[in-house]
Amino acid sequence: MKISWGERALLVVYTLAIAVASLIMMAIAVGIVPFKGVVEYINDIQYDWDFALVLFLISLAFLAASLKLLFLRQKRIVLAGTLIKNTELGMIRVSINTLDMLVQKAVRGFSEVKDVKSLVVAEPDGVRVRLNMQLMPDVNIPEISQAVQKKVKEYVEATAGIVVKEVYVYIDNLAALQRSRVE
């Protein structure tokens, strides 16, 4: 369960106040603080409207904190690694692994790409794709990069129905040209 900073601060203050009250009661119970002294201190308190107002406000704050913490709800958490799309018929979950496989399939259709590593990052309104590619020698890098970007975007959007916000291409290396050995 993930709680907000305000709820966390309330929990810390509430817990510390209860801990201090518990320590005081334990000190009274074992005789460190004499019970008669506590009773005399309480009897010496002048009960007037100011004291009643302070006591009421402190009690109200503890009651509100208790109710807030008691009914602290678990926020809905989207399962890690999934992307959700709502349609008029219901919710669709597509795993990031599935989207990654679609990206890989789209890129592997290019003979100019020797190897590709992809990363799909889900965002609330779509995905971002990062491609680390190794290209064959003697290819036009800007041309193949744009073609790959376009193909990945179109293929993922058409197949999964999820908006691809960006396709970032990083050319990692050019593949070495392998020559045949003649003996």
Side-chain angles (χ1 to χ4, degrees):
M1 173 171 62
K2 193 161 182 133
I3 61 175
S4 70
W5 287 103
E7 291 167 340
R8 191 180 311 254
L10 176 66
L11 185 60
V12 167
V13 170
Y14 186 81
T15 303
L16 287 175
I18 295 298
V20 168
S22 298
L23 287 172
I24 292 170
M25 286 190 277
M26 287 175 16
I28 292 170
V30 296
I32 296 173
V33 176
F35 182 71
K36 284 185 179 184
V38 174
V39 171
E40 289 174 7
Y41 179 77
I42 291 173
N43 285 334
D44 288 340
I45 295 175
Q46 297 294 323
Y47 186 83
D48 57 1
W49 285 106
D50 291 337
F51 178 76
L53 180 62
V54 170
L55 185 63
F56 179 78
L57 290 176
I58 290 172
S59 300
L60 183 63
F62 269 94
L63 177 64
S66 297
L67 292 174
K68 172 69 176 165
L69 294 173
L70 180 66
F71 294 109
L72 188 64
R73 293 187 321 184
Q74 183 173 356
K75 294 176 178 71
R76 282 192 88 186
I77 298 173
V78 176
L79 296 175
T82 62
L83 185 69
I84 297 176
K85 180 174 182 178
N86 288 320
T87 66
E88 56 275 348
L89 298 175
M91 192 181 322
I92 300 171
R93 291 180 186 248
V94 180
S95 73
I96 296 300
N97 289 339
T98 301
L99 295 175
D100 191 48
M101 295 298 264
L102 292 174
V103 168
Q104 292 277 332
K105 183 175 181 189
V107 175
R108 295 205 189 279
F110 290 89
S111 60
E112 298 90 349
V113 177
K114 181 169 194 259
D115 190 30
V116 64
K117 293 179 181 132
S118 57
L119 173 68
V120 178
V121 179
E123 294 187 352
D125 54 345
V127 294
R128 293 186 188 274
V129 178
R130 179 185 166 98
L131 300 173
N132 287 357
M133 297 190 311
Q134 184 178 16
L135 299 178
M136 299 301 284
D138 300 326
V139 298
N140 185 330
I141 294 174
E143 186 179 297
I144 191 67
S145 297
Q146 287 178 350
V148 167
Q149 286 174 318
K150 184 177 179 187
K151 174 75 174 182
V152 166
K153 181 174 174 54
E154 290 173 354
Y155 186 69
V156 171
E157 287 179 353
T159 307
I162 293 170
V163 177
V164 177
K165 294 173 63 177
E166 177 185 49
V167 179
Y168 176 79
V169 174
Y170 177 74
I171 307 301
D172 192 27
N173 201 354
L174 293 177
L177 187 60
Q178 295 180 352
R179 295 187 180 155
S180 303
R181 288 178 54 174
V182 179
E183 293 184 30

